[in-house]
Amino acid sequence: MIKKKPSVYFFMVIPALLLFFSFHTLPVLQGIFYSFTNYRGYGNWDFVGFRNYMNVFSDSRIYNAYFFTFKFAIVSTILVNMISLIIALGLNAKIKFHRTLRGIYFMPNILSILIVGFIFNFIFAVFIPNIAENLGITALTTSILGSRDHAWIAIVIVAVWQAAAFNTILYLAGLSTIQQDLYEAASLDGANSWMKFWKVTFPLIAPFFTINMVLAMKNFLMVFDHVVALTGGGPGRSTQSISLLIYEDGFSGGQFALQSANAVIYFIIIVTISIIQIRVLQKREVQM
């Protein structure tokens, strides 16, 4: 029998698998392992079973972090999909320089989140208050980033501004699959612009709407860089996201095992939410 030589693709995949396992899968498994111990990030440790999982929500800071994160994620997901869909509809229309405009609208997505956050930090903290003071608008003379009640709004603005670029591209991909004959047939039936959108456009891009909703919610639930660059979790801990809480208390607060358990729980929550979104939105696709 002739021995089959190993495929060249096999040798191409192995290095990628090793790197993925070393820098992704292995740390995840280690985090799950340490969540069943009293490990502080250094020193000795002992197994404690499910104690960390039972103690996760004994700290009020965790409740505050969950409340802020979900409030931010829900509002941002709704806004980014509304805005990106409107932009995509505009860019898909027969306008001049539409290809150039597509490139311009995509630029925020290629910029570093931290750099964008620091720039907007300056805008909210210095630029807007100075302009408001010169114009006599007293309500804006104080930075929104210093308000416990309104600092989260600034994070929403920056996150939505940057995330809209990627969502717009996905919606444009969906719009490009719709044949113009359908719009012509709808016009002959007397449909106006709104009816064309609701009866033709939206049902046909429903799969792209599902993808955008799931990806946006998942990304916003994992918000980290925007918070670090804009508020650092403040004022106080009013804008501390779950990811930031896990990082700060896990690596510098001596709660490595506890926050590892928190990370496992949050991972399960994100997966559950994503599955529910997909099930519900896909049923809507079928109904359409």
Side-chain angles (χ1 to χ4, degrees):
M1 294 181 60
I2 301 176
K3 292 185 178 180
K4 188 178 180 180
K5 294 182 179 180
S7 173
V8 65
Y9 300 108
F10 177 81
F11 294 105
M12 294 174 63
V13 170
I14 288 298
L17 286 176
L18 290 175
L19 289 173
F20 183 82
F21 179 81
S22 300
F23 295 100
H24 180 271
T25 308
L26 183 59
V28 169
L29 295 176
Q30 286 180 323
I32 296 173
F33 173 80
Y34 283 123
S35 69
F36 295 100
T37 69
N38 60 357
Y39 187 54
R40 293 172 293 174
Y42 55 88
N44 299 323
W45 51 267
D46 298 305
F47 281 104
V48 295
F50 288 92
R51 188 200 308 174
N52 290 320
Y53 290 89
M54 293 185 288
N55 293 337
V56 163
F57 294 100
S58 63
D59 191 345
S60 61
R61 295 176 303 171
I62 294 180
Y63 283 104
N64 293 333
Y66 271 78
F67 176 74
F68 161 75
T69 305
F70 277 93
K71 176 176 67 173
F72 164 82
I74 293 171
V75 173
S76 299
T77 299
I78 295 172
L79 288 177
V80 76
N81 278 279
M82 290 176 57
I83 293 172
S84 58
L85 181 55
I86 293 172
I87 294 174
L89 290 171
L91 293 177
N92 194 57
K94 296 179 180 179
I95 57 176
K96 293 183 177 180
F97 309 112
H98 66 279
R99 295 183 184 276
T100 302
L101 290 173
R102 289 181 183 183
I104 293 174
Y105 275 104
F106 188 70
M107 283 184 63
N109 189 68
I110 64 177
L111 299 176
S112 168
I113 297 177
L114 282 175
I115 293 176
V116 169
F118 289 134
I119 292 173
F120 274 92
N121 188 309
F122 174 80
I123 292 173
F124 288 127
V126 180
F127 187 71
I128 293 178
N130 286 342
I131 293 179
E133 186 175 354
N134 293 330
L135 296 176
I137 306 175
T138 56
L140 298 177
T141 54
T142 303
S143 173
I144 190 176
L145 299 178
S147 171
R148 294 181 64 92
D149 297 325
H150 303 114
W152 72 278
I153 298 176
I155 302 175
V156 169
I157 292 173
V158 178
V160 169
W161 174 81
Q162 188 163 37
F166 179 74
N167 288 46
T168 299
I169 294 299
L170 290 182
Y171 279 127
L172 282 171
L175 292 170
S176 65
T177 63
I178 303 176
Q179 297 180 358
Q180 294 300 316
D181 296 346
L182 297 174
Y183 293 114
E184 294 175 2
S187 298
L188 292 174
D189 291 337
N192 56 30
S193 298
W194 170 250
M195 293 177 64
K196 289 180 183 178
F197 169 76
W198 194 244
K199 299 295 184 180
V200 179
T201 304
F202 192 70
L204 292 176
I205 64 170
F208 295 88
F209 178 76
T210 299
I211 293 172
N212 271 337
M213 287 292 291
V214 173
L215 291 179
M217 178 62 78
K218 186 266 295 182
N219 290 333
F220 289 135
L221 284 174
M222 297 169 59
V223 62
F224 179 83
D225 294 352
H226 296 96
V227 177
V228 171
L230 287 168
T231 64
R237 287 179 178 258
S238 61
T239 61
Q240 186 179 51
S241 66
I242 301 172
S243 299
L244 183 59
L245 173 68
I246 292 172
Y247 170 76
E248 289 183 338
D249 288 7
F251 287 98
S252 60
Q255 298 181 353
F256 189 89
L258 178 65
Q259 294 306 327
S260 293
N262 190 14
V264 173
I265 292 173
Y266 196 49
F267 169 76
I268 296 173
I269 291 174
I270 292 176
V271 171
T272 303
I273 291 174
S274 298
I275 293 173
I276 293 173
Q277 280 184 294
I278 292 173
R279 292 288 179 86
V280 172
L281 293 174
Q282 283 184 340
K283 285 183 180 179
R284 184 177 176 82
E285 291 175 23
V286 174
Q287 293 173 358
M288 287 180 173

